[in-house]
Amino acid sequence: MGPADIGKWCGAVRVVVIGAGAAGLSAAYESRKRGVDFTVLEAADHAGGRIAAEEVEGCRIDTGAQVLTAGYRTVLGLCRELGVPVHACSRRAGIWRRGAFRVVDQNDGWRNLRTLLAFKLFSPKALWQLVRIGWSLRRQAADLRLADPSRALAHDTEASIADWIRKAGGTESLEGLAGTSIRVLTLGNPEDVGAAYGKALLWGYTFQPVELLTPERGMGQFTQALVAAVADRIRLSTKVERVVIRGGAEAGVQTAAGFVPADAVVCATTATEARRLLPNLPADIDRALAGVTYSSSCRAVFGVDRPVLPDQCYFVALPRREGSFLVDYSDASVKSPQVAPSGGLIHAEAAGSRAEFLSALPDGDLCRRFLAEIRRYSPEMPEPRFARAYRWKEAVCLMPSGVLAGRPRARRSLPEQIRGLALAGDYMHMPSVEGAAASGVAAVEDVLRAGPGAS
Ligand SMILES: Cc1cc2nc3c(=O)[nH]c(=O)nc-3n(C[C@H](O)[C@H](O)[C@H](O)COP(=O)(O)OP(=O)(O)OC[C@H]3O[C@@H](n4cnc5c(N)ncnc54)[C@H](O)[C@@H]3O)c2cc1C
């Protein structure tokens, strides 16, 4: 079916999009552009999912994702269309080593080797291993693009990025490299992150002087603009209980308030929730979804009256070997000063099993624990003007090895096996805001290509 055939369905198809995260909102916006009748059903009382933002005392707090890169084609295209200004974001970072933060500017790329040597961030043996890893990634670079997962498949060769680093470099470099950068980027452990995804992250964020970008007023500015473009079709606090399939085709969705008929459904939730909503998926697709895992994290955000991070850094990272529950903390006022207090807006992240423990605490206790931990590394951290806590049971998709390969199969065969049904979400791409947004656009194309379902 060609573009003309897709166009034929547009006016006649009612699409239900489940979930108003980056994937669902992009699917909704794509539907609007194509003249498709659509409704977005969102379980929460607000839209955005992991790109949601909250207004607190005149500031805007990004509760999940905060940064983009110059490679985020879909998201940057949406920003242009929606009139969201985007600017470069500092990559100045402090890494804790021997009782102090050692500052590197990631835009300096290989020139940082000198800094790494001077501060003994890596032993000479680990540094040599880093050079080997960098060289190996450079040779695979054309395939390791976060914006295009299809070519990375061939590089999903080891069980995890930790295994690949050991093989390509050696054990010494594992903690210094993945124990810091992979943890910051995924809020997960390198042992749990797929090899191809991990390599794309290492190459895209750590070894290359890639441009880090952000909407001028934070990620929430992008979310707000995207929500505004489809707001008349979003139904909040409407949890979908089940996707109803009749005779091998999509018929609609069941919510607590009743049945919503649809010709096509874009399920834009996490993989875990998609499996719950779709218990009768074809076995191969269900297997692919069952393999998807996520890191879990919690974040405390503090509005402060004076700067906390050293030397105009945007963020500071704590290597895993430090044993802190903190992965990193950043100052959002460095990138989006218009929506932050003058002193700073500190976002601190915890991940892993200790984040699960912290997540169970009431907000006040959680924020107090974070504050005490930040002061171990930044004793100048003042009493905050305000504090907020956010919890993510499923934070970043870790794309374990094998899952990436199941993705194109699921995308190709699902709309053919169940007409009118498509999956979207970061797990259907390279996990990121870009991956989620691109998967939402692709899902709308897929359901329109396959034609309406059974309702
Ligand atoms: C702390 C944190 C920091 C991050 N930092 C970055 C970053 O800097 N850059 C980056 O690119 N990525 C980052 N990410 C990852 C990025 O945010 C996600 O990959 C992306 O936003 C996922 O979007 P999504 O639409 O696939 O899923 P989600 O945002 O999870 O959206 C799913 C939506 O579906 C809704 N839903 C679920 N079940 C139902 C149901 N039954 N009925 C109706 N609605 C339902 C949910 O409420 C949610 O709104 C970060 C993530 C976290 C948590």
Side-chain angles (χ1 to χ4, degrees), residues 143 145-154 404 407 428-430:
D143 295 343
R145 281 177 299 171
L146 284 163
D148 174 13
S150 55
R151 293 172 66 177
L153 284 180
L404 204 56
R407 181 201 63 88
M428 289 295 287
H429 204 275
M430 283 291 199

Side-chain angles (χ1 to χ4, degrees), residues 381-396:
M381 172 78 181
E383 226 12 68
R385 267 171 48 185
F386 59 80
R388 290 290 183 280
Y390 303 96
R391 300 163 178 82
W392 295 107
K393 201 159 171 247
E394 296 184 312
V396 179

Side-chain angles (χ1 to χ4, degrees), residues 18-24 41-44 46-51 63-68 72 185 187 205 219 238-241 268-270 273 276-277 297 299 349 392 394-397 424-427 431-434 436 439:
I18 309 174
L41 305 178
E42 166 57 51
H46 60 273
R50 284 172 275 165
I51 55 166
T63 66
Q66 297 194 74
V67 291
L68 316 168
Y72 281 28
L185 291 167
L187 302 170
Y205 285 94
M219 188 67 78
T238 308
K239 184 172 182 178
V240 173
E241 301 298 344
T269 65
T270 59
E273 182 66 0
R276 193 185 73 79
L277 296 173
S297 75
R299 169 182 288 176
E349 317 280 354
W392 295 107
E394 296 184 312
V396 179
C397 174
D426 58 356
Y427 69 95
S432 61
V433 178
E434 169 63 20
S439 77

Side-chain angles (χ1 to χ4, degrees), residues 193-250:
V193 176
Y197 179 44
K199 281 189 243 181
L201 287 174
L202 284 181
W203 181 247
Y205 285 94
T206 308
F207 282 87
Q208 269 195 117
V210 71
E211 203 180 359
L212 218 53
L213 303 171
T214 175
E216 265 177 32
R217 292 172 171 266
M219 188 67 78
Q221 186 179 12
F222 167 64
T223 313
Q224 203 175 40
L226 198 49
V227 169
V230 293
D232 56 323
R233 294 304 177 97
I234 302 179
R235 277 161 59 180
L236 297 174
S237 306
T238 308
K239 184 172 182 178
V240 173
E241 301 298 344
R242 200 161 47 89
V243 176
V244 180
I245 293 157
R246 283 191 205 117
E250 184 47 59

Side-chain angles (χ1 to χ4, degrees), residues 16-89:
V16 165
V17 178
I18 309 174
L25 290 170
S26 304
Y29 184 64
E30 183 66 19
S31 301
R32 169 137 291 166
K33 285 199 293 187
R34 287 169 179 261
V36 174
D37 183 13
F38 68 95
T39 305
V40 184
L41 305 178
E42 166 57 51
D45 61 3
H46 60 273
R50 284 172 275 165
I51 55 166
E54 191 188 14
E55 308 282 332
V56 178
E57 297 193 14
C59 304
R60 183 184 284 148
I61 297 178
D62 287 326
T63 66
Q66 297 194 74
V67 291
L68 316 168
T69 76
Y72 281 28
R73 279 196 307 252
T74 316
V75 175
L76 294 176
L78 288 169
C79 285
R80 268 192 302 276
E81 285 175 36
L82 296 165
V84 175
V86 170
H87 65 190
C89 169

Side-chain angles (χ1 to χ4, degrees), residues 321-361:
R321 60 188 165 212
E322 261 305 301
S324 171
F325 69 73
L326 286 178
V327 172
D328 64 70
Y329 46 103
S330 59
D331 183 351
S333 75
V334 172
K335 62 179 188 62
S336 307
Q338 304 96 322
V339 288
S342 55
L345 190 59
I346 309 299
H347 290 54
E349 317 280 354
S353 55
R354 293 165 81 187
E356 280 163 33
F357 164 76
L358 290 162
S359 291
L361 299 175

Side-chain angles (χ1 to χ4, degrees), residues 306-330:
R306 56 172 194 271
V308 174
L309 271 63
D311 209 7
Q312 294 166 348
C313 281
Y314 165 47
F315 75 96
V316 292
L318 297 158
R320 177 165 68 171
R321 60 188 165 212
E322 261 305 301
S324 171
F325 69 73
L326 286 178
V327 172
D328 64 70
Y329 46 103
S330 59

